[in-house]
């Protein structure tokens, strides 16, 4: 091949951008039209005069425009202060670079921790609505618990090796076996490979696709990884499930796996059967199966204080291992599995004596609060009373949320018609500096 450079020194890009820009524009004219996708050049007056980033001014909150500086985002339904956001915000705090958190309609919840940290570094939050428009609108109120309801949530935290195809095959078969309408219609990977779902056997090469990433900022260290996997259904029962694989990082630390998903709340499906099978396969640290309705997802459902708001966000998300470790269990779900880490906390005989269904499974216990998961919608006072009763039988402080939502008599009846469950859960980050 051929190596083409535009000026004598790479720092001409910073020290003399007009020269670099002119040379690039000139080269584009010598190439086939359409070969290079970007034909325009930035205005040189907007760019830094040296290698120190200029602190650009974010858009006027009363107008729309493209945020400048460092841009962070994630296509998950619920955004929390994860390691990626922490790293970005640390750089923004150290360099004083403007920071913008860019969200889309898919981002339905932003945790209070992330929201506060963005504003601590004088950052801003903008919403963009692709593909209709690329203009951004500043968001002044934190999106809280805005998921479409009702929906079924399953969240399973496990430390077994989830990358083995034997495990993946059994997980996907569990959906088939529970209800044919749960057969995935698409399978994807972090490599953005989409394939029509043609049966379990066709999924093997996508379940834990191998890849290489840089292990440090210098790029000298490289490690082999197994990409996470997700599968969706857009007909009959709409859902999205993701398998974030168990892995050992470059420091030799175990990162537990996380199988999670949201689905239309279809009454004909035996959700307990599916959950039971997945728990059998994963022998998890912790797992929940819950039906979320507007009673628990509305603003400040469990209280308006900071502790309650953060715990509510964690409950809605279905807590991953990092949150369980740092903050503990946010709340009890209709079905909660307590793994070996919680053996000392669960007195199975005591709970059974008080009328709770407790089943020994693997290294832990599965506890359900009522006979049917749809009691959460049909008879929330009963479900709420049972949850409050169970909390009193557990160690004080073991469950973070102690209050129960008020069951408003004026609430509209729960609609279990076709709904769009939260979809497209991946991640994207645009680390960029510009004037």
């Amino acid at each position: 091949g051929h190596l083409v450079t535009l000026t004598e020194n790479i720092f001409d890009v910073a020290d003399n951008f007009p020269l670099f820009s002119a040379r690039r524009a000139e080269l584009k004219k010598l190439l086939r039209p359409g070969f290079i996708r970007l034909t325009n050049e930035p205005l040189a007056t907007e760019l830094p005069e040296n290698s120190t980033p200029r602190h650009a001014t974010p858009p006027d909150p009363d107008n729309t425009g493209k945020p400048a500086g460092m841009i962070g985002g994630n296509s998950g339904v619920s955004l929390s202060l994860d390691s990626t956001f922490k790293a970005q915000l640390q750089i923004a705090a150290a360099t004083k670079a403007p920071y913008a958190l860019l969200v889309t309609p898919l981002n339905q919840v932003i945790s209070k921790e992330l929201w506060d940290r963005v504003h601590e570094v004088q950052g801003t939050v903008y919403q963009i609505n692709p593909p209709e428009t690329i203009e951004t609108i500043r968001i002044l109120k934190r999106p809280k618990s805005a998921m479409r309801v009702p929906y079924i949530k399953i969240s399973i935290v496990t430390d077994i090796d989830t990358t083995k195809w034997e495990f993946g095959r059994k997980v996907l078969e569990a959906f088939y076996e529970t209800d044919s309408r749960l057969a995935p219609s698409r399978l994807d990977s972090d490599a953005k490979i989409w394939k029509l779902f043609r049966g379990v056997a066709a999924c093997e090469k996508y379940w834990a696709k191998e890849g290489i990433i840089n292990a440090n900022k210098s790029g000298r260290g490289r490690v082999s990884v197994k990409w996470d996997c997700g599968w969706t259904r857009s007909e009959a029962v709409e859902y999205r499930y993701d398998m974030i694989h168990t892995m050992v990082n470059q420091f030799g630390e175990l990162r537990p796996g996380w199988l999670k998903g949201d689905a239309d709340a279809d009454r004909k499906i035996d959700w307990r059967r599916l959950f039971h099978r997945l728990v059998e396969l994963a022998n998890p640290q912790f797992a929940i199966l819950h039906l979320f309705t507007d009673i628990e997802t509305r603003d400040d459902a469990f209280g308006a204080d900071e502790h309650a708001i953060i715990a509510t966000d964690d409950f809605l998300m279905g807590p991953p291992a990092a949150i369980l470790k740092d903050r503990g269990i946010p709340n009890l779900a209709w079905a909660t599995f307590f793994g070996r880490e919680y053996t000392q906390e669960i007195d199975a005989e005591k709970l059974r004596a008080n009328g709770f269904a407790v089943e020994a499974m693997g290294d832990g216990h599965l506890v359900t609060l009522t006979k049917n998961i749809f009691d959460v919608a049909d008879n929330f006072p009963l479900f709420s009373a049972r949850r409050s009763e169970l909390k009193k039988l557990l160690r004080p402080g073991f469950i973070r949320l102690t209050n129960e939502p008020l069951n408003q008599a004026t609430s509209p009846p729960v609609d279990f018609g076709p709904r769009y469950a939260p979809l497209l859960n991946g991640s994207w980050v645009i680390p960029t500096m510009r004037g």
Side-chain angles (χ1 to χ4, degrees):
H2 295 84
L3 175 65
V4 180
T5 54
L6 294 179
T7 67
E8 293 182 358
N9 192 316
I10 190 173
F11 288 99
D12 290 334
V13 179
D15 299 336
N16 193 348
F17 189 84
L19 169 64
F20 166 76
S21 180
R23 294 292 289 164
R24 181 161 61 183
E26 184 178 354
L27 178 58
K28 289 177 182 177
K29 294 177 182 177
L30 300 175
L31 302 172
R32 172 178 58 80
F35 179 54
I36 306 299
R37 293 157 55 197
L38 284 174
T39 56
N40 297 333
E41 285 291 312
L43 295 177
T45 55
E46 296 182 358
L47 293 153
E49 298 173 355
N50 53 47
S51 58
T52 301
R54 175 177 291 175
H55 302 155
T57 303
D60 187 318
D62 295 326
N63 297 295
T64 60
K66 298 178 182 179
M70 297 184 63
I71 303 175
N74 184 300
S75 58
V77 172
S78 183
L79 303 185
S80 60
L81 188 60
D82 60 18
S83 58
T84 300
F85 284 129
K86 286 180 180 178
Q88 294 174 11
L89 291 164
Q90 286 174 352
I91 294 173
T95 63
K96 306 298 183 184
Y99 183 84
L101 175 62
L102 197 62
V103 301
T104 74
L106 294 173
N107 307 131
Q108 299 175 40
V109 179
I110 301 177
S111 74
K112 188 174 187 302
E113 280 189 314
L114 176 57
W115 179 270
D116 290 346
R117 183 63 179 138
V118 168
H119 289 85
E120 281 177 14
V121 300
Q122 306 301 311
T124 45
V125 181
Y126 297 92
Q127 179 168 318
I128 188 171
N129 298 288
E132 290 80 6
T133 176
I134 60 172
E135 292 184 327
T136 55
I137 300 174
R138 186 171 179 179
I139 303 299
L140 301 177
K141 184 178 179 182
R142 179 171 71 94
K144 296 178 291 185
S145 307
M147 297 181 186
R148 298 178 185 90
V149 291
Y151 65 93
I152 296 285
K153 174 172 285 294
I154 291 178
S155 176
I156 298 174
V157 176
T158 186
D159 53 14
I160 66 171
D161 186 353
T162 60
T163 65
K164 301 295 185 183
W165 171 236
E166 181 182 2
F167 174 76
R169 177 178 56 79
K170 291 178 179 179
V171 165
L172 295 175
E173 285 176 348
F175 285 79
Y176 272 114
E177 294 166 358
T178 300
D179 193 296
S180 60
R181 292 173 301 147
L182 290 180
S185 58
R186 284 185 179 269
L187 191 79
D188 72 280
S189 71
D190 278 358
K192 306 304 179 187
I193 298 174
W194 290 78
K195 290 287 183 182
L196 287 176
F197 193 93
R198 302 186 186 280
V200 170
C203 301
E204 181 174 2
K205 62 180 179 180
Y206 300 112
W207 177 255
K209 188 177 178 65
E210 292 188 2
I212 301 294
I213 62 172
N214 291 330
N216 52 48
K217 292 181 179 179
S218 68
R220 289 192 295 263
R222 307 184 73 191
V223 295
S224 174
V225 298
K226 299 292 184 68
W227 296 120
D228 299 332
C229 182
W231 56 102
T232 61
R233 175 86 184 191
S234 56
E235 311 86 17
V237 180
E238 188 162 0
Y239 68 71
R240 167 79 194 202
Y241 279 86
D242 290 281
M243 182 70 250
I244 300 175
H245 289 300
T246 307
M247 65 168 288
V248 177
N249 65 19
Q250 61 187 20
F251 304 108
E253 301 166 333
L254 176 71
R255 187 195 75 176
W258 189 20
L259 173 59
K260 59 189 178 72
D262 299 306
D264 284 342
D266 191 300
R267 287 178 177 263
K268 295 180 180 179
I269 293 175
D270 189 344
W271 295 104
R272 189 186 187 282
R273 175 184 175 183
L274 174 61
F275 182 67
H276 194 279
R277 179 55 178 152
L278 294 175
V279 169
E280 283 181 333
L281 293 173
N283 192 20
Q285 298 179 8
F286 182 78
I288 65 168
L289 166 64
H290 195 63
L291 169 64
F292 279 106
T293 70
D294 60 347
I295 295 176
E296 293 183 295
T297 59
R298 65 175 184 260
D299 288 351
D300 308 333
F302 292 89
D305 62 284
E306 181 176 4
H307 168 78
I309 290 173
I310 293 175
T312 300
D313 286 348
D314 293 344
F315 180 44
L316 291 170
M317 178 171 55
I323 285 179
L324 291 170
K325 181 179 179 181
D326 295 342
R327 299 200 286 262
I329 298 173
N331 204 3
L332 292 171
W334 177 79
T336 307
F337 178 82
F338 300 92
R340 56 183 171 276
E341 288 79 4
Y342 306 105
T343 301
Q344 302 301 320
E345 303 285 357
I346 303 300
D347 186 338
E349 294 306 317
K350 178 181 178 181
L351 299 185
R352 292 191 185 103
N354 283 272
F356 290 98
V358 182
E359 180 182 358
M361 295 182 64
D363 296 330
H365 292 85
L366 176 63
V367 181
T368 52
L369 294 179
T370 67
K371 291 183 178 180
N372 192 316
I373 189 172
F374 288 98
D375 291 334
V376 178
D378 299 337
N379 194 348
F380 188 82
L382 168 66
F383 167 76
S384 180
R386 294 292 286 164
R387 181 162 61 183
S388 293
E389 185 179 351
L390 179 56
K391 289 178 182 178
K392 293 176 183 178
L393 300 175
L394 301 173
R395 171 178 58 82
F398 179 51
I399 306 299
R400 289 155 56 195
L401 285 173
T402 56
N403 296 335
E404 285 291 311
L406 295 176
N407 185 23
Q408 298 177 345
T410 56
S411 296
V414 177
D415 176 15
F416 286 96
R419 293 294 183 107
Y420 292 103
L423 298 178
L424 297 178
N425 191 1
S427 61
W428 55 266
V429 177
I430 312 174
T432 180
M433 298 287 286
R434 69 175 189 205

